[in-house]
Amino acid sequence: MSTPAAVDAGSTSALVALLDGPDVERHIGAAFIEAGRRGDVPLFLAVVKGLVRIGLAGLAVRLLRVGAGTAPPSMAGQFASLAQQLERLPSGEIPRQKLDARLSRLRAEIPGLGSIASDVVAYRSTRGNVQCFAIDAMDRLHPLLPFVDHVDAAQRLDLPAPTLTSSTTIVGLPSHAALTRLLASTHSSGYTPAIDVLEPDADLAALWIAAAPDDCRVEDPRVSWFVGEGVLDRYRAFVSEHPWRMPPTHTLTFRRGDVPLPAPGAAFREDVARRRAERDAGYERIVAERVRDRDPAWYRRRFAEALAGGRPLHVGGFTSRFSTVIQHVVRDLGEAFERRGMRFDVVRQACDAAPAVDIRRALAENDFDAIVVVN
């Protein structure tokens, strides 16, 4: 989804002008890449200045140190001196200790995360953009994710209005700003559309999650993570076994270069539909076998037994967590049944991110004597 802002690659002066303008963060990534390709000193220094402006002085220092090692002697001293001055400013680098601590805390909630390599760094600009880099043997920086203004890109995402059946699948790591915007999207009923993230690179996912700003709730219950090898197979199994997680109505793909990403396309959806049908048929067989010999006379005996002090009747009250009135009515009915000595279970959506009630499973796993549905 994220791509560098368009720039005039043929003109250093045009790039420098963009970096001197008010939207420096929209253009700094493209200029960073172009400066590395050209070895153009004015552009290089403009990038250094732009990084300082957006709160990434530490990244500027790294560039200057590398530049000092390759620049002509007449400029190497100036680069080194400038780097020394910039070291006094806030670096913008996320401390490794903080990354490790956050990753350690989130491992239990997000399965499959890899490790953070020793040769990677993460920076956060004053605007909140997180940029991740690998450092090669020459101390040069290589963006691990698109080096763009993620906050601006997230604001421009064309997202559909949430409905009572919508859900989103994210393929590839989104920006933190994009995930935060998706998490803010809720239906007026209280339904919070499910978000499923598929990322095959477990180590990069670990760095991305550890570097997330505090207001980006990567561990939110409505977000399901599928990380590492075989993500598509695990996602297929999950969606097949959890029919209340509707197949995605909206898919966002965040590409990074030519890195191959899983594609939950038409074949995926057809396979999920087939698996769900098999699952539903299995539950239907369980219920059919249970009630096969139960005629009206059987139920008369069962109710008489319960009224005479035998095993209490088991009643299921089906409702929706997205209707306050119906929920209260069913709960009130349940209390009335329980006062009469019956067992009453409220059956509703599994969570706020579930648009549907798993009715077949509820009926297969519970031998209800009666069912109450408020219309």
Side-chain angles (χ1 to χ4, degrees):
M1 287 297 298
S2 299
T3 56
V7 296
D8 179 3
S11 170
T12 293
S13 60
L15 286 169
V16 172
L18 288 172
L19 295 181
D20 281 337
D23 297 325
V24 56
E25 200 149 3
R26 288 191 63 187
H27 306 291
I28 191 71
F32 174 94
I33 300 298
E34 200 62 31
R37 289 173 180 163
R38 297 184 187 186
D40 186 305
V41 173
L43 180 57
F44 175 83
L45 292 175
V47 169
V48 168
K49 178 183 175 182
L51 290 171
V52 173
R53 285 181 61 194
I54 64 176
L56 301 181
L59 191 53
V61 169
R62 284 185 181 272
L63 291 183
L64 286 166
R65 286 176 176 164
V66 172
T70 59
S74 60
M75 303 207 64
Q78 297 178 46
F79 285 1
S81 176
L82 181 56
Q84 190 173 14
Q85 295 177 52
L86 295 182
E87 283 180 337
R88 303 168 187 166
L89 300 176
S91 71
E93 183 173 352
I94 304 173
R96 182 57 185 252
Q97 184 178 9
K98 183 173 182 179
L99 294 175
D100 290 340
R102 185 173 175 84
L103 179 61
S104 177
R105 179 176 65 82
L106 291 174
R107 279 192 185 281
E109 300 184 53
I110 303 176
L113 293 176
S115 58
I116 301 176
S118 59
D119 60 350
V120 300
V121 289
Y123 289 84
R124 184 180 300 126
S125 73
T126 51
R127 193 180 186 194
N129 281 305
V130 174
Q131 311 293 355
C132 301
F133 301 88
I135 307 171
D136 67 17
M138 301 291 290
D139 286 334
R140 293 171 300 191
L141 294 161
H142 303 275
L144 292 169
L145 294 164
F147 189 177
V148 299
D149 186 347
H150 301 293
V151 173
D152 176 72
Q155 292 172 349
R156 291 185 286 108
L157 276 177
D158 184 18
L159 300 178
T163 69
L164 281 172
T165 58
S166 60
S167 62
T168 299
T169 293
I170 298 175
V171 180
L173 290 171
S175 67
H176 300 106
L179 181 59
T180 298
R181 185 177 168 200
L182 281 169
L183 285 168
S185 178
T186 61
H187 190 268
S188 58
S189 66
Y191 171 58
T192 57
I195 302 169
D196 300 325
V197 185
L198 283 60
E199 172 51 55
D201 190 331
D203 291 342
L204 184 57
L207 174 62
W208 185 95
I209 284 172
D214 292 337
D215 62 350
C216 181
R217 304 189 311 276
V218 296
E219 72 276 31
D220 192 287
R222 69 192 276 199
V223 182
S224 294
W225 288 89
F226 302 87
V227 175
E229 294 183 5
V231 290
L232 199 57
D233 290 338
R234 283 186 277 122
Y235 184 44
R236 181 185 291 108
F238 176 81
V239 178
S240 300
E241 289 299 318
H242 297 78
W244 47 265
R245 290 298 285 263
M246 306 296 283
T249 57
H250 192 55
T251 299
L252 294 173
T253 300
F254 290 82
R255 302 193 181 280
R256 47 183 190 274
D258 58 357
V259 175
L261 294 173
F268 174 88
R269 292 189 292 271
E270 290 172 2
D271 193 23
V272 167
R274 177 186 59 79
R275 292 186 181 204
R276 285 187 170 185
E278 292 174 354
R279 172 189 183 275
D280 291 345
Y283 283 141
E284 290 171 3
R285 285 193 296 271
I286 291 173
V287 175
E289 179 64 23
R290 179 191 299 146
V291 303
R292 183 181 58 184
D293 298 326
R294 296 182 182 180
D295 56 12
W298 186 95
Y299 281 99
R300 283 194 294 270
R301 292 192 300 272
R302 172 72 185 98
F303 275 67
E305 170 198 352
L307 292 173
R311 179 167 57 91
L313 293 173
H314 187 188
V315 181
F318 285 72
T319 186
S320 171
R321 65 168 60 231
F322 306 119
S323 173
T324 303
V325 173
I326 293 178
Q327 275 199 88
H328 287 167
V329 170
V330 170
R331 290 189 184 280
D332 290 346
L333 282 172
E335 291 175 1
F337 279 114
E338 288 173 346
R339 285 195 297 269
R340 298 295 299 268
M342 302 178 195
R343 174 186 169 189
F344 191 93
D345 291 340
V346 175
V347 182
R348 59 178 188 167
Q349 291 90 342
C351 63
D352 287 343
V357 179
D358 193 352
I359 296 175
R360 290 179 177 84
R361 180 174 181 176
L363 294 177
E365 294 183 348
N366 296 276
D367 188 4
F368 292 126
D369 296 299
I371 292 172
V372 174
V373 179
V374 176
N375 194 319

